[in-house]
């Protein structure tokens, strides 16, 4: 086994990814990142694949419903991916336990409530209860964001394993040294306080608060977040919601057997 082919996972396992499969998955990644459907030439540009390889991979996905082709021969993600995603969501013990708590918290606070989990180097939202107000959050289940760009992600980063946290912080871009130090301090503060509050820190239009949700063995498995527009959700108001937020996170944890 070529040492260059081996990847060490976050839990220490030595993995040897199938390179051809990784290249095929690049097609789905490119289609997911695009603002709209892509022509074959655009797919080649986005993936670096040969024209023949890009066409064959896209056509194979099309046969399985994972990619669809429109009347102008442009490619987009297919409905089969939505079906798979719904199966993941429906079989999630975490989602089942959290859903009524998420909905109740949104009802009580009048703001949007989100449940996010750590997936690779990102936060992905798996549950959402929308605010009834006229101005709402735009995040939706399935949305993926970098950990350091949301309060949800910062909580997940704060409670991740030390090796994962160190690797993530050191993997930031060229000016990452100072930013990594800042984020290291932020995550330490979150672990001490047991929650995160962001008032226009990560997004000038957004206020949010997030708390960890523990699973069996007291391992943090998710982060529960209240979020809304900064014009309505002031610092005083979000701070008032923090005890309710933490209580709701603890309720989900108890339902999971924590």
């Amino acid at each position: 086994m070529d040492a260059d082919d081996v990847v060490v996972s976050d839990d220490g396992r030595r993995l040897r990814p199938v390179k051809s499969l990784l290249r095929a998955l690049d097609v789905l990644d490119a289609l997911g990142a695009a603002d709209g459907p892509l022509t074959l030439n655009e797919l080649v540009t986005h993936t670096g694949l040969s024209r023949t390889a890009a066409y064959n991979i896209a056509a194979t996905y099309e046969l399985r419903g994972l990619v669809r082709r429109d009347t102008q021969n442009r490619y987009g993600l297919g409905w089969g991916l939505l079906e798979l995603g719904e199966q993941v969501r429906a079989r999630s013990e975490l989602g089942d336990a959290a859903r009524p708590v998420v909905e109740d918290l949104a009802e009580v606070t009048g703001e949007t409530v989100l449940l996010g989990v750590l997936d690779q180097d990102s936060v992905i939202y798996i549950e959402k209860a929308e605010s009834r107000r006229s101005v709402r959050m735009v995040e939706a289940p399935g949305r993926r964001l970098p950990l350091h760009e949301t309060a949800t992600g910062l909580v997940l980063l704060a409670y991740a394993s030390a090796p994962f946290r160190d690797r993530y912080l050191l993997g930031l871009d060229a000016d990452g040294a100072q930013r990594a130090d800042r984020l290291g301090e932020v995550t330490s503060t979150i672990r001490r306080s047991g929650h995160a509050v962001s008032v226009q820190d990560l997004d000038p239009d957004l206020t949010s608060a997030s708390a960890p949700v523990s699973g069996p063995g007291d391992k943090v498995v998710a982060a529960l977040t209240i979020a809304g527009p900064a014009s309505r959700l002031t610092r005083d108001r979000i701070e008032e919601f923090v005890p309710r937020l933490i209580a709701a996170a603890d309720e989900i944890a108890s339902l999971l057997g924590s």
Side-chain angles (χ1 to χ4, degrees), residues 6-258:
V6 176
V7 176
V8 179
S9 67
D10 294 328
D11 60 4
R13 290 177 296 148
R14 294 171 62 82
L15 307 175
R16 188 178 185 182
V18 179
K19 291 182 178 180
S20 59
L21 182 55
L22 290 177
R23 289 194 293 272
L25 291 172
D26 285 343
V27 170
L28 294 181
D29 287 342
L31 294 175
D35 293 331
L38 299 177
T39 66
L40 181 59
N41 286 339
E42 289 171 335
L43 201 53
V44 168
T45 300
H46 281 76
T47 62
L49 294 166
S50 70
R51 185 178 175 85
T52 300
Y55 174 79
N56 288 338
I57 291 169
T60 301
Y61 282 143
E62 186 181 0
L63 288 174
R64 299 303 296 268
L66 304 181
V67 163
R68 57 187 173 83
R69 190 165 44 133
D70 65 17
T71 56
Q72 300 178 54
N73 284 326
R74 299 176 304 177
Y75 296 93
L77 295 179
W79 295 114
L81 289 170
L82 179 61
E83 182 181 7
L84 290 174
E86 282 301 313
Q87 289 178 15
V88 172
R89 187 166 178 262
R91 297 172 188 177
S92 167
E93 180 184 356
L94 173 59
D96 286 343
R99 200 164 300 126
V101 180
V102 168
E103 291 172 354
D104 287 347
L105 187 59
E107 182 70 26
V108 169
T109 62
E111 300 295 347
T112 296
V113 177
L114 301 152
L115 186 75
V117 297
L118 177 65
D119 187 60
Q120 297 180 346
D121 286 359
S122 307
V123 54
I124 186 166
Y125 293 104
I126 64 170
E127 294 292 339
K128 176 185 180 182
E130 188 69 85
S131 167
R132 294 185 178 181
R133 307 292 186 88
S134 57
V135 180
R136 303 177 179 179
M137 284 280 297
V138 297
E139 307 298 0
R143 178 78 186 277
R144 182 186 297 272
L145 291 169
L147 294 174
H148 59 279
E149 291 186 3
T150 68
T152 311
L154 287 174
V155 166
L156 293 170
L157 182 60
Y159 287 93
S161 68
F164 175 89
R165 192 165 56 248
D166 292 344
R167 179 180 63 77
Y168 185 90
L169 294 176
L170 290 174
L172 297 176
D173 55 18
D175 65 352
Q178 288 186 347
R179 186 160 62 160
D181 288 342
R182 278 198 313 275
L183 287 174
E185 294 172 2
V186 169
T187 55
S188 294
T189 299
I190 291 171
R191 288 193 300 276
R192 287 195 300 270
S193 66
H195 67 279
V197 171
S198 171
V199 181
Q200 300 176 283
D201 299 325
L202 303 169
D203 184 322
D205 300 319
L206 181 69
T207 295
S208 57
S210 186
V213 175
S214 297
D218 289 332
K219 179 181 178 181
V220 171
V221 295
L224 184 65
T225 301
I226 299 172
S231 58
R232 181 174 72 231
L233 200 53
T234 62
R235 178 174 291 279
D236 286 345
R237 184 169 172 78
I238 195 66
E239 292 286 1
E240 288 178 6
F241 288 154
V242 166
R244 290 184 182 273
L245 173 68
I246 294 174
D250 290 344
E251 183 180 354
I252 298 171
S254 67
L255 293 170
L256 293 172
S258 175

